[in-house]
Amino acid sequence: METTSHLRDHGAVNAYLKECGSRKVLEAIANKWTCLLVDALRDGPVRFGILRRRLDGITQKSLTQTLRNMERDGMVIRTIYPTIPPRVEYELSTLGHSVVALMEGIKSWSEKHVAEIMTARERYDLRAAEEPRPVRTG
């Protein structure tokens, strides 16, 4: 059986270890906007304004930050065209394309099971509201 110290000693990649860089990768891709952007960019370059309209509810700040993070992580390529005003397009890199199937799976699963999840949340919230609350004294 491998222990965390054994894995650490041998430089193993293991997201369960707090120092492992794979946690940063997991954090980067386990983001709703990253998931949706990967899907929105899967068919080729897209301009910022089109992405903002497609991702209903995303703020300009969140879109900018997510695209910058994805570019920093090597998942997105940003191309600036020397026009007036400058035209900027975003597209997936080879690395970004490698995560398309995973993100499509997550998106599809979410859409397929939304009713079940919402029903479960409602039931939980009703039970939680009916449970007696502890009384504090003093």
Side-chain angles (χ1 to χ4, degrees):
M1 183 169 115
E2 293 182 336
T3 63
T4 54
S5 60
H6 173 79
L7 291 168
R8 208 176 279 121
D9 293 341
H10 292 88
V13 175
N14 184 329
Y16 288 106
L17 299 175
K18 68 180 178 181
E19 299 90 9
C20 185
S22 64
R23 279 202 183 177
K24 293 288 184 193
V25 175
L26 184 60
E27 183 179 324
I29 64 170
N31 171 299
K32 71 179 174 188
W33 296 128
T34 300
C35 182
L36 294 172
L37 277 167
V38 165
D39 193 60
L41 294 169
R42 71 186 304 166
D43 294 325
V46 182
R47 294 180 67 176
F48 186 92
I50 293 169
L51 288 171
R52 181 133 185 246
R53 286 189 293 278
R54 182 145 187 220
L55 277 70
D56 187 32
I58 193 169
T59 64
Q60 183 169 338
K61 180 181 177 181
S62 290
L63 179 56
T64 299
Q65 185 175 7
T66 305
L67 286 166
R68 282 185 185 158
N69 289 339
M70 291 174 71
E71 183 181 10
R72 181 176 181 237
D73 291 340
M75 294 174 54
V76 164
I77 298 166
R78 180 176 180 250
T79 304
I80 303 170
Y81 295 94
T83 59
I84 299 176
R87 190 177 92 220
V88 180
E89 290 182 341
Y90 297 88
E91 64 184 306
L92 292 178
S93 65
T94 302
L95 181 63
H97 277 288
S98 73
V99 77
V100 165
L102 173 64
M103 295 304 187
E104 173 58 27
I106 292 170
K107 182 177 141 303
S108 294
W109 187 92
S110 299
E111 292 169 345
K112 181 179 180 180
H113 296 284
V114 65
E116 294 167 75
I117 298 292
M118 292 303 165
T119 299
R121 286 182 179 185
E122 289 170 12
R123 272 188 257 148
Y124 177 89
D125 292 346
L126 285 172
R127 276 194 321 271
E130 293 172 358
E131 289 178 3
R133 298 178 191 254
V135 178
R136 288 191 169 177
T137 58

